[in-house]
């Protein structure tokens, strides 16, 4: 026992030394455009609540109504006695929003990626994975036992080279984020779709950060590019732009039917509670009907991007509401984040190993409902601190 704990303590000390130790921050009250931490108000540039609807009155109302009508728990796996009517309704409404044959809900995006990928591929299959795909995709591939080959980030020539060379597999699955979670750049979906068709592969996209934000109906980046019906498997999450929790996979009937029968992270888990499903039902309507939120978030993000890039910051190739402010080492990034917190701005440090060493960054995110004057003030503060720390 003592030795076990000593070993853990040693590893934790090592993490602290590398500025890689993690702690929770506790938010007091509502996590909105501003948040309160330890009694201080901070501008929230660290939220995935991109459309600003996590506290939307209509969504709260549909969530509370579901609790009042149905209680607090699903009480079982959906395959046993946990599949109540609201599940079917929400899946049908999401399918209409996504303009797809069927949708299947999951409890989290992490569980969805783990389950879907390990159901679709296994030994004898190949997965071609963008180098910067989300950790849940990587974990799903590892769990599947399929061969994993990572292509250089957004590099179509590299992807095609692998597709040309690596043949003889039962199935070849290309997986990509659409909007990259730590970089904010966009996958070239039309070109990836063309390549997968040319080489007879299958494509799975992760719209965690594209859903609700991109596309005329908030259908995601695939909708924006008009390629949704050429993608076999589309994953979306409901805890970010949708302001609720959970995730879904959208696709043609046979694909969803297969996943319903084969996905262990769905089969062996308790269903989502009514509070969440009721909230999702409200959020679907808000995402569809309040298109102004998409215009606002992308318009405001473009302004912040232009100002920060204009001041000399490296913001990589972001074209979305996620703005990576590359600061260099873990240490500088932590110091930058701390200084911003002093100046009433919450901008969380993303450090190696989550991102490559020397590309540690602050991941800034813009919400549709941020006030323009708050964003302008934040940009000024960021530029001042960037100069003081010699980042620019
Ligand atoms: N995919 C991507 C690209 C993500 O960024 C995330 C969450 N950070 C997930 C999947 C997991 O989604 P969830 O938070 O619902 O588990």
């Amino acid at each position: 026992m003592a030795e076990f704990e000593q070993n853990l303590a040693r590893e934790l000390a090592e993490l602290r030394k590398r500025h890689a130790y993690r702690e929770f921050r506790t938010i007091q009250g509502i996590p909105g455009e501003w948040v309160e931490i330890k009694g201080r108000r901070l501008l929230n540039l660290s939220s995935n609540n991109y459309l600003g609807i996590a506290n939307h009155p209509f969504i709260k109302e549909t969530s509370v109504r579901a609790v009042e009508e149905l209680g607090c728990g699903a009480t079982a796996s959906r395959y046993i006695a946990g599949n109540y009517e609201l599940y079917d309704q929400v899946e049908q409404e999401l399918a209409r929003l996504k303009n797809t044959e069927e949708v299947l809900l999951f409890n989290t995006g992490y569980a969805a990626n783990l389950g879907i990928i390990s159901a679709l591929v296994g030994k004898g299959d190949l997965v071609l994975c963008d180098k910067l795909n989300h950790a849940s995709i990587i974990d799903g591939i590892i769990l599947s036992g399929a061969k994993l080959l990572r292509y250089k980030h957004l590099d179509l020539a590299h992807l095609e080279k692998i597709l040309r060379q690596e043949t003889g597999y039962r199935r070849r699955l290309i997986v990509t984020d659409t909007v990259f979670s730590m970089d904010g750049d966009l996958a070239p979906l039309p070109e990836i779709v063309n390549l997968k068709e040319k080489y007879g592969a299958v494509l799975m996209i992760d719209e965690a950060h594209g859903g609700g934000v991109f596309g005329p109906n908030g259908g995601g980046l695939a909708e924006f590019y008009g390629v949704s019906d050429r993608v076999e498997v589309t994953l979306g999450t409901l805890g970010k732009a949708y302001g609720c929790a959970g995730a879904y996979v959208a696709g043609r009937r046979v694909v969803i039917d297969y996943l319903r029968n084969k996905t262990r992270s769905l089969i062996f888990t308790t269903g989502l509670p009514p509070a969440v499903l009721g909230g999702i039902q409200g959020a679907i309507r808000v995402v569809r009907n309040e298109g102004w939120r998409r215009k606002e978030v992308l318009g405001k993000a473009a302004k912040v991007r232009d100002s920060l890039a204009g001041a000399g910051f490296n913001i990589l190739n972001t074209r979305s509401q996620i703005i990576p402010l590359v600061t260099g080492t873990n240490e500088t990034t932590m110091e930058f984040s701390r200084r911003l917190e002093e100046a009433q701005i919450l901008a969380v440090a993303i450090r190696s190993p989550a991102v490559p060493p020397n590309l540690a960054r602050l991941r800034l995110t813009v919400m549709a409902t941020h006030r323009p004057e708050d964003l302008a003030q934040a940009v000024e503060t960021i530029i001042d601190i960037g100069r003081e720390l010699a980042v620019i």
Side-chain angles (χ1 to χ4, degrees), residues 48 50 107-113 132-137 177-182 206-209 235-240 245-247 363:
N48 296 329
Y50 303 127
N107 291 15
T108 67
Y110 187 87
N113 268 332
L132 296 189
N133 276 346
H134 189 256
S136 55
I137 293 175
D177 285 13
T178 59
V179 176
F180 282 82
S181 58
M182 296 297 150
D206 181 337
E207 290 269 27
H209 300 277
L235 176 127
T237 58
L238 299 161
K240 303 183 197 304
R363 176 183 183 269

